[in-house]
Amino acid sequence: MSRETFESMAREAGANLAEGGVEPEVFIQEFGDMFEGLEGIIQLAMMFEAQALDYYSRCARRAQDGDAADAFVHLAREENAHLKLLGKFMDKLGERE
């Protein structure tokens, strides 16, 4: 399968999904009132990042191809970096209170 075909199929399959298969709109409709204010928004973002980290970590473990596994490990590390950054934002919020 060509890269272009793969990317096209991925876009079509996941058009309304966040990483890990979560539908953000459905999630927010169902649980959005739990995430009020700036702290709540950061918590929500952290949940999505944690979901993506878990997803890419599982993909890396299941990958049959070394290059694919490496790509998923790289993506998992990126999600982990996002979580750390959001954690720093949360810490700063706590310092302001």
Side-chain angles (χ1 to χ4, degrees):
M1 175 184 311
S2 72
R3 179 180 178 160
E4 292 79 20
T5 302
F6 174 79
E7 289 176 352
S8 176
M9 290 174 63
R11 278 191 297 275
E12 289 175 23
N16 297 319
L17 301 177
E19 296 156 313
V22 176
E23 289 186 57
E25 288 184 25
V26 173
F27 182 87
I28 290 170
Q29 286 174 354
E30 200 165 320
F31 302 105
D33 58 341
M34 295 172 57
F35 303 101
E36 293 185 11
L38 189 53
E39 184 176 315
I41 292 168
I42 294 172
Q43 288 174 342
L44 178 63
M46 290 179 84
M47 288 179 67
F48 281 114
E49 295 296 337
Q51 176 74 18
L53 171 61
D54 177 63
Y55 175 71
Y56 290 133
S57 296
R58 285 184 285 121
C59 288
R61 285 192 299 274
R62 294 180 183 156
Q64 300 292 321
D65 177 12
D67 289 339
D70 290 344
F72 287 124
V73 166
H74 175 77
L75 290 169
R77 287 182 182 147
E78 290 293 318
E79 300 307 330
N80 192 43
H82 299 161
L83 273 170
K84 287 180 181 180
L85 182 61
L86 288 166
K88 288 179 183 180
F89 287 140
M90 190 67 84
D91 289 345
K92 287 181 182 180
L93 278 178
E95 291 171 5
R96 290 191 316 186
E97 294 177 355

